[in-house]
């Protein structure tokens, strides 16, 4: 079923290649399918979906650098992708951090912290302990409990805070 959905989006996007909204929708569909495939244990298919999403979203990000929706979708693609999906994953996470710098995303207020956490984990895997520690500490500071209890805090922020503490 997922393959049929992706084929539909690919054909639709090809037929409407000049419509950036449809290209964005196709990239989003590939990212979401990649997330489902990864959760179901299909790492190779997930990696292919994330790569396809990035290949559709990168040109849009270059053509429309001020479009928050495009930037957000590309950031989410790199954030959700498994590390082995891209040969230069660390560089792409750094790029995602740059894209996310001024998003001020009220739906995902901790996206920068999530990126710092993932980049720290990747740096730790490659042996850059000092870089990993710096980024873990950055993530901890950004994920710290809010001073105002009324401030919205997604459940994932609590999980990521515990993960950052554990990995540090």
């Amino acid at each position: 079923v997922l393959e049929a959905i992706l084929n539909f989006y690919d054909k639709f996007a090809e037929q409407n290649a000049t419509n950036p909204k449809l290209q964005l929708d196709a990239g989003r569909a590939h990212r979401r399918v990649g997330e489902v495939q990864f959760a179901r244990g299909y790492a190779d298919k997930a990696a292919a979906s994330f790569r396809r999403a990035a290949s559709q979203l990168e040109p849009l990000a270059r053509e429309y650098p001020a479009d928050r929706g495009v930037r957000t979708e590309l950031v989410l693609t790199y954030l959700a992708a498994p590390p082995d999906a891209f040969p230069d994953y660390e560089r792409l996470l750094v790029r995602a951090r740059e894209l996310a710098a001024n998003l001020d995303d009220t739906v995902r207020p901790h996206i920068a912290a999530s990126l710092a956490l993932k980049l720290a984990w990747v740096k730790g895997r490659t042996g850059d302990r000092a870089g990993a520690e710096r980024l873990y500490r950055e993530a901890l500071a950004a994920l710290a409990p809010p001073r105002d209890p009324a401030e919205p805090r997604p459940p994932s922020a609590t999980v990521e805070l515990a993960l950052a503490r554990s990995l540090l």
Side-chain angles (χ1 to χ4, degrees):
V1 173
L2 294 177
E3 297 291 331
I5 292 169
L6 289 179
N7 287 335
F8 168 79
Y9 270 103
D10 281 340
K11 287 179 184 173
F12 196 70
E14 285 173 18
Q15 292 172 355
N16 298 284
T18 59
N19 186 331
K21 170 78 171 103
L22 297 177
Q23 295 294 320
L24 175 61
D25 288 344
R28 181 179 297 119
H30 281 283
R31 175 188 55 87
R32 288 180 175 166
V33 168
E35 290 173 347
V36 170
Q37 290 170 326
F38 187 72
R40 298 200 66 215
Y42 303 120
D44 291 341
K45 288 183 177 185
S49 290
F50 284 112
R51 286 191 297 270
R52 182 73 174 132
S55 73
Q56 290 183 320
L57 295 167
E58 278 289 355
L60 287 175
R62 284 190 295 275
E63 190 171 346
Y64 305 100
D67 187 313
R68 289 183 50 186
V70 170
R71 288 180 21 228
T72 299
E73 195 56 46
L74 188 55
V75 166
L76 291 174
T77 296
Y78 291 139
L79 182 60
D84 300 331
F86 299 98
D88 54 347
Y89 191 54
E90 185 174 333
R91 182 189 63 79
L92 294 174
L93 285 174
V94 170
R95 171 162 165 62
R97 287 187 73 187
E98 292 166 1
L99 290 170
N102 298 317
L103 281 180
D104 295 324
D105 192 339
T106 56
V107 176
R108 298 169 204 85
H110 295 93
I111 198 164
S114 298
L115 285 164
L117 178 59
K118 186 120 186 213
L119 186 55
W121 181 75
V122 169
K123 284 187 174 287
R125 282 183 65 191
T126 62
D128 181 0
R129 289 187 176 167
E133 180 179 346
R134 180 182 53 79
L135 287 161
Y136 281 130
R137 292 190 187 286
E138 181 181 320
L140 285 170
L143 293 166
R147 292 176 190 246
D148 180 4
E151 181 183 327
R153 187 164 191 224
S156 62
T158 304
V159 172
E160 289 181 342
L161 179 62
L163 182 61
R165 286 178 177 156
S166 173
L167 292 171
L168 180 61

